[in-house]
Amino acid sequence: MPTPAIERLADAVSALDRRSRFELVDEIRLDFPTHHPQGMAFAKGLTFLSSVEIHEAPRPAADPALRTPGRGTGHVFVLEAGGELIRDIHLGEDTVYHPGGIDFDGHHVWVSVAEYRAGSRSIVYTIDPDTFEVRERFRVDDHIGWILRDPGLDLVFGGSWGSRQLYTWDTEGRLVDEWENPGHFVDYQDAQLLGPGLLLCSGISLLPQADGTTLELGGLALVEPLRQRITWEAPISVFSGAGHVITRNPVAVTADESGLLIHAAPDDGDDDGGTRILSYRII
């Protein structure tokens, strides 16, 4: 059953709308090379931040499945409360080097690492937050951009490139369900479990503007994968100092007595100001 804290978090998220205001209450600048962060989870007083380091960028193609794989290194950085780096865990193999969105299930941090192209392949890992032991759980014949385990249902949920396909597996990697995402508002980049069968997904859409520039439109969604439906969505138009919408990549939410907190790391290591973990209170 959902705990009161989980129920409060889900209620606080669903109360957010276009009129909500975001107050920046904390900012932690990371003073090591962070590359291109992807997902974030809090576990045992630590912050886990996945990131991809690109050595050779894939050559683009109109069909993202036809991109070249490129070369890179997959990282999961382990941080203390003040942002100090205490561990750099490398994940992946060969052309499988792109970690995605991550989550903590109460026992392990779940991480998917994929080729940097659609319709490719992925390896699903878990990390023990006490020992940092890495364990391969299963493999998937698709690009899995985020992964999480629902301990109440003992199921694993994930999304493909842009989350156009949504998946459910058992913990051994046997496919339970696959369905097409009915929403086209944003492509989900990260996801977090809010309760049994209830996911908070975050992401962006890149929208062309009349002057030739591109707008990063952010968004959040509540998704119920067992019912194959999206139950709530809200746009996010809050930007970092480097000009990125805050739901661009890593997002995690928490709640306390005063309400909802959204934690995000939208900027890359080479952006102006570098990667910072930003915490916003919804007012």
Side-chain angles (χ1 to χ4, degrees):
M1 294 292 292
T3 66
I6 289 292
E7 289 179 340
R8 185 170 66 245
L9 182 56
D11 289 344
V13 168
S14 60
L16 192 154
D17 61 26
R18 291 172 57 183
R19 297 166 296 180
S20 300
R21 292 184 295 143
F22 291 67
E23 177 188 11
L24 182 64
V25 294
D26 195 18
E27 180 176 336
I28 299 173
R29 182 171 179 176
L30 305 183
D31 62 357
F32 59 90
T34 55
H35 312 295
H36 181 28
Q38 299 294 310
M40 180 165 55
F42 303 128
K44 303 294 184 73
L46 302 172
T47 300
F48 288 75
L49 185 74
S50 62
S51 181
V52 59
E53 177 183 4
I54 303 298
H55 304 306
E56 176 187 317
R59 290 196 300 273
D63 180 350
L66 300 180
R67 292 158 50 108
T68 60
R71 295 185 302 108
T73 301
H75 300 265
V76 174
F77 302 120
V78 184
L79 315 175
E80 292 186 332
E84 301 84 2
L85 178 66
I86 61 172
R87 189 67 62 100
D88 179 0
I89 302 170
H90 289 193
L91 296 177
E93 64 181 35
D94 301 324
T95 57
V96 178
Y97 61 85
H98 192 295
I102 67 178
D103 198 27
F104 177 55
D105 69 356
H107 300 282
H108 297 93
V109 176
W110 286 72
V111 186
S112 59
V113 184
E115 287 192 355
Y116 201 178
R117 53 184 176 177
S120 54
R121 59 195 178 105
S122 304
I123 306 171
V124 175
Y125 299 96
T126 55
I127 301 172
D128 186 313
D130 294 310
T131 65
F132 306 125
E133 177 186 6
V134 174
R135 175 183 170 188
E136 180 181 324
R137 293 288 182 154
F138 56 87
R139 298 187 177 218
V140 179
D141 289 330
D142 197 356
H143 174 105
I144 302 302
W146 55 267
I147 198 99
L148 61 82
R149 173 178 173 262
D150 184 329
L153 300 174
D154 202 23
L155 293 172
V156 179
F157 300 118
S160 68
W161 181 277
S163 292
R164 293 303 92 207
Q165 294 293 121
L166 300 175
Y167 291 98
T168 303
W169 304 272
D170 67 16
T171 55
E172 301 301 316
R174 288 181 287 264
L175 184 64
V176 174
D177 194 16
E178 176 184 357
W179 53 292
E180 185 175 346
N181 187 344
H184 298 276
F185 177 47
V186 297
D187 290 345
Y188 307 147
Q189 306 292 317
D190 202 358
Q192 176 180 345
L193 187 73
L194 292 190
L198 180 63
L199 281 54
L200 174 65
C201 298
S202 57
I204 62 169
S205 287
L206 300 178
L207 303 180
Q209 304 298 290
D211 61 1
T213 60
T214 300
L215 169 68
E216 290 183 0
L217 174 66
L220 297 171
L222 291 177
V223 178
E224 295 184 357
L226 297 186
R227 298 183 178 182
Q228 297 189 355
R229 68 181 188 177
I230 299 168
T231 61
W232 167 90
E233 291 179 307
I236 302 295
S237 56
V238 179
F239 294 86
S240 71
H244 294 300
V245 70
I246 62 169
T247 57
R248 177 182 179 227
N249 273 315
V251 171
V253 301
T254 58
D256 59 19
E257 308 76 32
S258 60
L260 183 69
L261 287 168
I262 295 182
H263 314 276
D267 300 333
D268 293 345
D270 59 0
D271 282 328
D272 184 25
T275 298
R276 292 161 293 167
I277 297 176
L278 309 174
S279 297
Y280 294 87
R281 188 176 305 283
I282 309 303
I283 56 176

